[in-house]
Amino acid sequence: MEQGEAAPPAAEEKGEEEDDFGYRLFPDRNKKPQSFLVRSLFTFHNREIDCSNIFLDPYAQLLLEAMKQSGCTVFSDRHFSCENCDGCVSGGFDSATSQIVLCQNNIRQQSHMNRVVTHELIHAFDHCRAHVDWFKNVKHLACSEIRAANLSGDCTLMNEIARFKFGLKGHHQTCVRDRAIRSILAVRKVSKETAEKAVDEVFDACFNDLEPFGRIPHSKTDAKRAYKDFQNRDRYNANL
C-alpha cells in the first residue's frame, strides 16, 4: 500500500477485539448511514478532486475490465466516494460497501489520484475474485497489500526517488515489502513483528501473483501493453 492509503474492511465488525480496523482514518465512514442518493449528491457536490478521469488511466482500465469479467462491474457513482479523511491517508477500500474512498482533502494531483485508484482497485479485484478475510486473517491482508504495492506503481523508480529512497539490486521488492508492512500497521492493531511475519510468509507467492496484469507495470506504457495483452488473451480464450 502506498503511504497515505489504507483499506478499511467491513464496518459491521468494527469494535471487535478493540480494533477499529482502520476506520479511525476515515471519519466519514463512522457517520450515521445515509441513503445512497443523499450520499452521492453530498460527496459529488463537495469534492475537491476531479473523479471524471478515473476510467481513462490504463491501469484502471485493465482492472475495471478484469473485475467486470469476474462478475464485479464497477460504477463510478456507486463504487467511488470522495470524502475527507485523516491527514495521513489518501484512499481506502471499504469491503462493507464495496466502495473505494478517495480522500479529497489529501489528493491534489491527477497522477496521485490515478495511483490511489489503481491501488484500491487491486484490493477490490482481490475482494471480487477471492474469499479474502480482511478482519481475522492478517496474511490475507498482507497478500493484497503486497500485490497493491507491486502492481499499482507505488514503487516505481520515479516515485521512490521523489521519496528520496532509491537503491540497486532488489530495491523494488524491498519497497513493496516495506509499504505492505506500513499499510498493515496503519489499519490493524498488531505489532510490527506480527506484520513483518505475515508479509514475509506470503511474500513470494503474492509478489509473483501478477493478475490481472500478467507483468509488473512499471510505467503507463507497461500498463497499456498489459491491457492490450489482457484483451487479446480474452479474445483467444473466446475462440477456444
Side-chain angles (χ1 to χ4, degrees), residues 15-233:
E16 189 172 307
E17 298 178 355
E18 297 184 350
D19 193 336
D20 65 5
F21 299 107
Y23 277 90
R24 67 192 178 281
L25 304 175
F26 301 86
D28 284 354
R29 301 273 109 177
N30 289 320
K31 293 180 180 179
K32 185 177 180 180
Q34 297 173 295
S35 71
F36 169 66
L37 178 60
V38 172
R39 184 173 63 249
S40 295
L41 291 174
F42 178 81
T43 56
F44 273 72
H45 178 72
N46 289 278
R47 70 188 181 196
E48 300 172 12
I49 54 178
D50 182 7
C51 296
S52 63
N53 294 325
I54 289 174
F55 295 164
L56 300 180
D57 186 71
Y59 288 85
Q61 287 178 330
L62 194 160
L63 285 160
L64 292 166
E65 182 66 25
M67 290 189 66
K68 181 178 181 180
Q69 292 191 18
S70 297
C72 300
T73 301
V74 176
F75 300 97
S76 61
D77 59 347
R78 163 64 183 87
H79 297 105
F80 287 88
S81 179
C82 295
E83 302 175 8
N84 291 323
C85 310
D86 183 273
C88 70
V89 296
S90 300
F93 171 65
D94 188 345
S95 65
T97 57
S98 296
Q99 280 190 322
I100 288 172
V101 181
L102 300 176
C103 298
Q104 60 188 7
N105 56 318
N106 295 331
I107 299 175
R108 297 301 180 207
Q109 296 179 331
Q110 184 70 38
S111 60
H112 183 196
M113 186 180 74
N114 291 344
R115 195 167 67 245
V116 174
V117 168
T118 300
H119 185 110
E120 304 308 334
L121 275 174
I122 291 170
H123 289 318
F125 176 73
D126 289 346
H127 184 69
C128 174
R129 70 169 182 157
H131 298 290
V132 181
D133 187 346
W134 298 103
F135 308 110
K136 298 179 181 179
N137 194 326
V138 69
K139 290 183 183 180
H140 286 193
L141 176 61
C143 187
S144 191
E145 293 295 357
I146 290 167
R147 282 175 34 76
N150 188 31
L151 300 173
S152 67
D154 289 352
C155 289
T156 61
L157 178 61
M158 293 306 298
N159 283 332
E160 282 292 270
I161 290 176
R163 302 177 189 120
F164 301 102
K165 293 182 179 181
F166 43 90
L168 297 175
K169 185 177 181 180
H171 180 73
H172 180 78
Q173 289 89 333
T174 299
C175 172
V176 169
R177 179 182 182 273
D178 290 347
R179 298 185 77 76
I181 291 169
R182 293 217 309 271
S183 296
I184 294 171
L185 293 175
V187 298
R188 291 293 179 274
K189 293 181 179 179
V190 298
S191 67
K192 185 176 181 181
E193 291 73 20
T194 297
E196 289 176 337
K197 181 180 179 181
V199 169
D200 289 340
E201 287 182 352
V202 301
F203 189 86
D204 288 342
C206 298
F207 183 84
N208 291 306
D209 180 0
L210 305 179
E211 286 299 313
F213 290 91
R215 68 179 77 194
I216 298 175
H218 293 290
S219 65
K220 279 195 174 184
T221 299
D222 285 345
K224 288 178 181 177
R225 289 172 179 166
Y227 185 30
K228 183 177 292 186
D229 289 345
F230 182 84
Q231 291 175 312
N232 290 335
R233 178 178 63 182

